[in-house]
Amino acid sequence: MSQPSYGGSHGGGASSSGGPSSMSPSSSDDKNLHLDAVEAATLIRLNGFQRTLEHAVKIQDIPVIVTLASPPFVISHVNELWCRLCGYTESEALGQTCRILQGPETCRATLASLHAAATSGRDIEVRLLNYTGDGTPFQNTLFVRPLQPECGSRCTHLAAFLLVRYVADVPRLNRAGSERDGVDVARGDSPPPNPLPPPLPPPPPPTLPPPPPPPPAPPVGS
């Protein structure tokens, strides 16, 4: 999925509310995201989203991840677009947490806002730098919504919808020592550094063409 690079800070930001969000691109609240046109259109669509687990698992045209509603928010569903985008198969993702998408440049303050809203069952939109399974960084505008069963009012799951832009100015994460090999990058473990390639040998000296022959001597007596 090739999308344009996202301009602006990678540090993250958040907006949350007790019910459906009323954020707009012109919001002057410093706590809110300043949405671009694509983000605003996604938000409008999600404000009309039927907030049930049964409906969330049927969505196929936007990357969706569903977790349980209580910490540690274990992943219970991912759709095909999420798998293609994030680089994990469904079997790899189920039973894990969203820590598999975090890395050294993921904003901890934004994660704290996300955790607080998820724990209390509030809507939240955050802009967060995440990493795919192979370590590719991406800017993720994440829209989180609490879900209820068809016949009930208690929140049982959370659905997160991803709007993704790839970024070119963040180093790729070396996944050689990441969660797949027993090192939890999100917990703070440092993956082993990428080995530097051996230095290139010096280039050979340039080969100069032979000098031109001297001009012929003029004839004697001329």
Side-chain angles (χ1 to χ4, degrees):
M1 183 182 297
S2 179
Q3 300 193 30
S5 175
Y6 187 83
S9 171
H10 304 138
S15 173
S16 63
S17 64
S21 174
S22 59
M23 273 179 20
S24 70
S26 59
S27 171
S28 60
D29 186 347
D30 289 339
K31 296 179 181 179
N32 286 349
L33 296 178
H34 296 273
L35 300 183
D36 64 21
V38 177
E39 291 171 328
T42 303
L43 182 63
I44 291 171
R45 173 189 174 185
L46 294 179
N47 281 344
F49 162 65
Q50 185 178 348
R51 298 175 179 231
T52 64
L53 177 62
E54 291 79 2
H55 182 66
V57 299
K58 295 177 182 177
I59 296 176
Q60 298 296 328
D61 61 341
I62 184 173
V64 178
I65 180 171
V66 176
T67 74
L68 300 182
S70 57
F73 308 110
V74 173
I75 299 170
S76 62
H77 168 78
V78 290
N79 67 1
E80 183 181 356
L81 271 181
W82 185 95
C83 292
R84 286 164 51 193
L85 168 71
C86 296
Y88 290 94
T89 65
E90 182 181 29
S91 61
E92 287 177 321
L94 296 185
Q96 301 293 323
T97 72
C98 291
R99 286 186 172 187
I100 61 175
L101 301 179
Q102 298 170 23
E105 296 296 326
T106 305
C107 178
R108 303 302 164 182
T110 304
L111 288 176
S113 298
L114 180 60
H115 186 275
T119 302
S120 59
R122 290 182 286 116
D123 291 3
I124 189 169
E125 293 83 37
V126 300
R127 196 177 285 138
L128 198 63
L129 189 110
N130 283 146
Y131 297 82
T132 66
D134 68 0
T136 302
F138 63 92
Q139 181 77 55
N140 179 17
T141 306
L142 188 66
F143 302 82
V144 179
R145 298 292 183 267
L147 302 176
Q148 288 82 28
E150 290 280 8
C151 301
S153 58
R154 184 177 65 86
C155 175
T156 58
H157 293 77
L158 301 171
F161 306 87
L162 284 69
L163 181 61
V164 169
R165 284 77 179 270
Y166 290 102
V167 291
D169 56 343
V170 177
R172 185 185 181 97
L173 177 62
N174 177 20
R175 287 292 195 188
S178 67
E179 294 87 347
R180 293 185 177 185
D181 292 320
V183 177
D184 188 349
V185 174
R187 188 182 60 211
D189 297 343
S190 297
N194 288 314
L196 295 177
L200 296 175
T207 303
L208 299 178
V220 177
S222 62

